[in-house]
Amino acid sequence: MNRIDRAALAAPGPLLLAPDTVLLPEGPVGGWAVLVDGGLFEALGPVDELEARYPESRTVRLPGHVLMPGFVDAHHHLTQSFGAALAFGEPSEIFRRVWVPLEGALDEESAYTAAKLAALEALRGGFTTVTDAGTRADVDVDVVASAARDAGIRCVLGLVCNDADGGDEADHRTVLENAEKHLARYDGDPLVHPSLAVSIPEAATERTLHDTARLAAEAGAVVQIHVNEHLAGVERSLVRHGLRPLEHLHRVGALGPQLLAAHATLLTPRELSLLADTGAAVSYNPVASAWKGNAVAPATDMTERGIRVGLGTDGTRGDGFRLTEAAEFAQRLAYGLVTGDSSCGAGWTWLEHATGGGADAVGLGTRTGTVAPGRAADFLLVDVDTPELALSWDLPWELVRRGNRDQITAVFVAGRLRMWHGRPTDWDGEALVRRATELARTAVAEAGIVRVHPTSTATRALRRPHERNVIR
């Protein structure tokens, strides 16, 4: 194992990092270094050249490691972490039966703890940015912001702007006032970036869909909306509007570069063209498709059409490498096998969607997602001197198919060492997990959650009672 001096990485001042390989947008390069200073990538180039240009910097050699951009989770629900496993084996639209009641049972401490627990899992899995689609917990959204800051992760923070239940002028005005305050509240925050959110198109009035799009576009923010995720939602939109959800958003003027469409699994060719023509972005969430029974978004087709695509976990599991593998794997099973496409975008496509493409999709394309001068120093040090990756022939493919979070030595956000071998560097992750376990039991018990299926153990007992007392 190649040992790295943790103290040298955590010390203040300019830091010249010299790994075996740097992963750039155009591919991996060897013999290069990056200069990190003031939370940014200041320069990159051949090691000898940078050492000569920046003699005051401290050089840290990183043998056996790749320096790569941190992963960007384009779709998450941070305050749902207490119930992540409750989605197993459940049919679609579980938000009605699981997530709404669970978040409704959270108080300020439990919402903060749930969000910080999700951030901890994300950092452990190599995510340096998470995109929260807005909490339904009855707490100030700054509780979630505080959890992200305290964990040390970058967060695109959504504020839910639903108003369809009321729908009168007062409700509309209140939603817009709150949206404007939210966008202003985090303007200039180094880690928290404001966003607006609508749960699903039918949860907001047409005026609100239009006006939140306008506000976000003016602020350079995104509006997150779950779009065309479930067949039932598509059919309700057809009955109500005569249009599919994405078509309805287009008609009311809510499509555009500010839209981050979560899931987008059920799209017609016309809807794909609408996304491409308007510059809207999509969060492709392949693990959520598998876990919740959705269709698989045609992400390879989206890529070929020039649609902006990021990858999202939807709170399923915080492992960036497993997410990229799922992204490629789902495309191969859903589309590649029937067409004879053995590549399905190849490894580099899904790494790009998980890093720079994801940053662009969530509105941070000029700030993070790539190793480049002037970008935030949000990056990973990945140990490739392992049985999985030591015999390297095609690093992007190998990271997608054979990489895993156990190989992440260090996670940096804004130039600061935040995670070391899966543990936070400046706060107690184990204590957080213990407290989360206590709070989760209470929240789940009080939430009134309705599941269609019992646990796997209970299901087995019901189906094969004669096996309960048999030990093989």
Side-chain angles (χ1 to χ4, degrees):
M1 177 183 293
N2 294 296
R3 298 194 177 277
I4 299 174
D5 185 354
R6 170 181 166 176
L9 292 175
L15 190 63
L16 192 63
L17 300 177
D20 285 354
T21 305
V22 179
L23 189 62
L24 301 177
E26 57 269 25
V29 295
W32 276 35
V34 298
L35 179 67
V36 175
D37 191 18
L40 303 175
F41 293 119
E42 289 293 337
L44 65 154
V47 178
D48 293 344
E49 291 184 12
L50 290 192
E51 286 184 319
R53 282 169 54 194
Y54 301 98
E56 75 286 357
S57 65
R58 185 177 65 262
T59 300
V60 179
R61 308 281 173 180
L62 304 168
H65 281 75
V66 169
L67 188 153
M68 63 174 286
F71 294 115
V72 175
D73 187 343
H75 185 62
H76 205 313
H77 295 272
L78 296 178
T79 55
Q80 293 179 2
S81 65
F82 285 178
L86 295 174
F88 298 166
E90 290 294 292
S92 64
E93 289 206 320
I94 61 171
F95 69 92
R96 298 178 184 277
R97 297 176 288 103
V98 177
W99 303 131
V100 171
L102 174 59
E103 289 182 296
L106 300 179
D107 60 16
E108 187 169 300
E109 183 191 4
S110 55
Y112 171 90
T113 304
K116 194 172 182 181
L117 180 69
L120 170 59
E121 183 184 356
L123 284 166
R124 280 169 47 82
F127 291 100
T128 53
T129 298
V130 289
T131 306
D132 181 72
T135 184
R136 299 179 183 91
D138 187 20
V139 299
D140 189 326
V141 73
D142 198 54
V143 169
V144 180
S146 297
R149 284 196 208 96
D150 293 347
I153 200 166
R154 192 176 300 281
C155 179
V156 177
L157 181 63
L159 175 74
V160 175
C161 297
N162 300 347
D163 71 338
D165 287 343
D168 60 21
E169 180 61 32
D171 290 324
H172 175 69
R173 188 165 55 249
T174 298
V175 164
L176 289 192
E177 288 173 355
N178 290 337
E180 289 175 327
K181 290 176 182 177
H182 179 72
L183 293 172
R185 184 179 195 178
Y186 299 101
D187 184 32
D189 192 294
L191 286 183
V192 179
H193 311 279
S195 162
L196 304 180
V198 173
S199 298
I200 50 179
E202 62 196 86
T205 61
E206 294 185 3
R207 288 185 304 170
T208 294
L209 290 171
H210 177 274
D211 289 346
T212 51
R214 173 182 56 80
L215 286 176
E218 292 171 354
V222 297
V223 180
Q224 305 177 55
I225 308 179
H226 296 75
V227 176
N228 290 50
E229 181 184 4
H230 302 295
L231 183 60
V234 172
E235 292 175 342
R236 285 194 300 269
S237 182
L238 286 167
V239 170
R240 182 176 300 179
H241 305 293
L243 297 168
R244 296 164 65 86
L246 196 70
E247 294 173 327
H248 174 57
L249 291 177
H250 180 59
R251 183 179 67 80
V252 302
L255 277 192
Q258 81 289 334
L259 177 66
L260 175 57
H263 299 287
T265 58
L266 301 166
L267 297 178
T268 64
R270 166 174 162 73
E271 288 171 306
L272 285 168
S273 295
L274 286 176
L275 288 171
D277 293 345
T278 60
V282 169
S283 176
Y284 165 39
N285 310 321
V287 182
S289 289
W291 285 16
K292 299 191 296 181
N294 300 332
V296 175
T300 307
D301 193 1
M302 292 177 185
T303 302
E304 290 300 318
R305 290 171 177 255
I307 296 169
R308 299 157 57 223
V309 175
L311 303 186
T313 65
D314 197 22
T316 51
R317 63 182 178 221
D319 189 323
F321 288 113
R322 292 189 72 182
L323 179 62
T324 59
E325 179 196 25
E328 184 261 333
F329 194 52
Q331 292 301 296
R332 182 144 171 72
L333 289 180
Y335 305 107
L337 292 180
V338 296
T339 60
D341 182 357
S342 58
S343 174
C344 290
W348 66 267
T349 298
W350 310 110
L351 277 181
E352 166 59 22
H353 287 328
T355 54
D360 174 64
V362 305
L364 299 181
T366 60
R367 187 182 295 263
T368 189
T370 7
V371 180
R375 301 292 176 93
D378 301 343
F379 64 95
L380 314 177
L381 299 180
V382 179
D383 185 358
V384 291
D385 191 16
T386 64
E388 294 82 7
L389 295 174
L391 303 178
S392 180
W393 306 105
D394 186 339
L395 184 61
W397 258 126
E398 290 151 9
L399 289 171
V400 168
R401 285 202 170 171
R402 293 175 64 80
N404 64 79
R405 71 179 178 191
D406 292 343
Q407 294 161 241
I408 301 173
T409 298
V411 179
F412 284 74
V413 179
R416 283 185 54 189
L417 180 63
R418 308 286 185 167
M419 194 71 52
W420 180 257
H421 289 286
R423 294 177 180 271
T425 57
D426 55 2
W427 55 278
D428 191 340
E430 293 178 357
L432 175 77
V433 173
R434 288 194 298 270
R435 184 58 178 153
T437 302
E438 297 169 358
L439 294 171
R441 290 194 185 101
T442 301
V444 171
E446 295 177 351
I449 290 168
V450 177
R451 298 186 69 210
V452 174
H453 299 296
T455 65
S456 60
T457 303
T459 300
R460 179 176 182 179
L462 289 169
R463 291 183 177 180
R464 294 184 284 183
H466 63 282
E467 294 185 359
R468 278 181 285 184
N469 298 317
V470 177
I471 300 176
R472 292 188 175 91

